[in-house]
Amino acid sequence: MCGVIGYVGAGASPSFFLNALRRLEYRGYDSAGIAMLTADGVAIQRAEGKLSQLERKLDQLPAKAKVGIGHTRWATHGKPTENNAHPHRSGPIVLLHNGIIENYRQLKERLVARGYQFLSETDTEVAAHLLHDEYKKLTSGTPEARMRSALRSVVGQLKGAFAFGILCLDTPEVLYSAKLGSPLVVGQAEGETFMASGITALVEHTRQFMVVEDHEIVVLKPESVEIETFDGQPVTRPFQRVEWSVAMMEKGGYRHFMLKEIHEHPIAIAQTLNGRVQRDSGTINLTDLGVAKLPLKTLSRLQIIACGTSYYAACLSKYFIEATARIPVEVDLASEYRYRASTVDSKTLVVAVSQSGETADTLQAIKAARANGAQTLAVVNVPGSTIAHMCHAESLTKAGPEIGVASTKAFAAQLTALYLLGLALAQERQSLNDAQLRFYVDELVKIPSLVERSLGLSDSIERLANRYHHLSSLLFIGRGPQWPIALEGSLKLKELSYIHAEAYAAGELKHGPIALIDENMHVVCLAPRDAYYEKTLSNIEEIKARGGRILAVGQENDSQLLQLADDFIGIPECSETVLPFVTAVPLHLLAYWIAVRKGTDVDQPRNLAKSVTVE
Ligand code: AGP
């Protein structure tokens, strides 16, 4: 979704705003704009398309400004044109917005009736005129006091989600914002303060961050950050130090962020394990995992809710958690969960899995779970994200910043965190004895090196992609834990290469999908030597008997599978516990290399956003 950046301090150049917006590009966008306020007034430059279009206009902005805001827009209302790009101006007010104003039509009618001229098709312009209208009504008090009061009035009239960036020509060294439902962080350095949709925009300027929570208004000045609730109650909140570096956000010599992040699967898993597994004692450190406060011993069931790739990580963890912790695990799409009749109680642990920690569907689902009395746990990758603040407990996946829109290393880290949750439950509920628990702890510790080995498949998969990039459709099949991996592999292929792909539990093939099989249908079949191996071989025979083509993913020395398959990807020998982590890698690589061969925008696929903050 949209990127927001704001600055107030000694002075920032146009390239400060452009570079900060570049760090937010992964959020997905289709136009951009910057506004800078100087003694001569406000200068605004906007452009349709990528930031390179806006860059051509930077020389029309002042060299420096004490206050400024910038925006990348992911269209919710109005086409991606310069006119619809943010920021929008109304009198002394200049405003930009991440989110969606659901009642903008009613407000717009009222404002038009009061004589306001609308220049864009956006919902955001309504907020600019509304704030101007409320500000004009106030005739006493300082401009800043009037802006605060006007902003309080405006947020009480809006329905939807918003994180604003606002400047006012009458208060030349103040920046304002208000937040509900869309992410906003504040950063502070010597003599300057910042706001942004995500910490990645600011890491090169500060490590000191504070998360703005829902129903809060923020007033930024060069030396101070003041927060109050929508009803005017002051809020104090400490800054936190975040250990993310600029280097972590560069491509590091890789062609795309996505390729770099696939190769970071091992380190993402290792960092997520670090401090949580205690190898000497063969136990799990509940405090480091973030679950010590939860009543793990007395829970009756888990409900895991997520979207997209995070949902597939949740589906996969069900097999492991039920097998080790012996507790029922339901997995739900967040967008469906909140509309089902809730059956949660205080003995239900609802786990929200989200890389961004800002996904609106997941946020609303966890709100519903809390309202119904559930215990809640956030498994998120971005420190201090909104979903984490919404839950009773937070278990960070330590994948580091994931810039590619398609989730890769975060998927591996999510699996790791969920497997650790399963062992934490098993430990507390004693569903595993000490020896069994130690076995699994030792298995988890092996994963990074085995995944490292499977990354060696990249060159052979790149060659394979040359024979698959022209296809218009592909099927993925797997059994047991390999079924969610098949689902994840088909999503990756769809979202990166725009090739249609579907995934089925292999046992389901004969219940309908097998009608699709003929000599034109290629099937990616996950067939490692696990408990389902023999049955999966039967599936392969059924497909071949109907002329289908098989790309098999199996153990590297499986000569029988090599004979059967038309194409073969051999993964290193490993235990069943580790298998899903290892088979995910070739599917991520396959999707990546096919997309590269097709020439699609691998790091920012069309229509997608890294963090979907609208429902
Ligand atoms: C991942 O490749 C997808 N781009 C998408 O499905 C993503 O997993 C989904 O939007 C959920 O995002 P989250 O993990 O940030 O909540």
Side-chain angles (χ1 to χ4, degrees), residues 537-549:
L537 287 189
S538 308
N539 289 126
I540 291 175
E541 297 284 5
E542 289 159 14
I543 293 165
K544 290 188 69 65
R546 292 160 178 81
R549 316 262 307 155

Side-chain angles (χ1 to χ4, degrees), residues 327-405:
I327 185 171
V329 179
E330 295 166 49
V331 183
D332 270 289
L333 284 172
S335 54
E336 290 295 319
Y337 178 83
R338 60 181 296 220
Y339 299 110
R340 283 186 24 219
S342 174
T343 59
V344 302
D345 59 19
S346 60
K347 298 181 71 173
T348 306
L349 175 62
V350 178
V351 183
V353 183
S354 174
Q355 189 289 129
S356 62
E358 304 298 342
T359 301
D361 291 324
T362 310
L363 190 62
Q364 294 305 328
I366 209 72
K367 271 183 185 171
R370 279 209 69 155
N372 288 306
Q375 298 293 323
T376 54
L377 169 66
V379 175
V380 295
N381 193 48
V382 177
S385 51
T386 305
I387 289 172
H389 276 250
M390 184 67 59
C391 291
H392 294 100
E394 172 187 5
S395 187
L396 271 184
T397 55
K398 301 195 175 169
E402 185 174 71
I403 308 303
V405 168

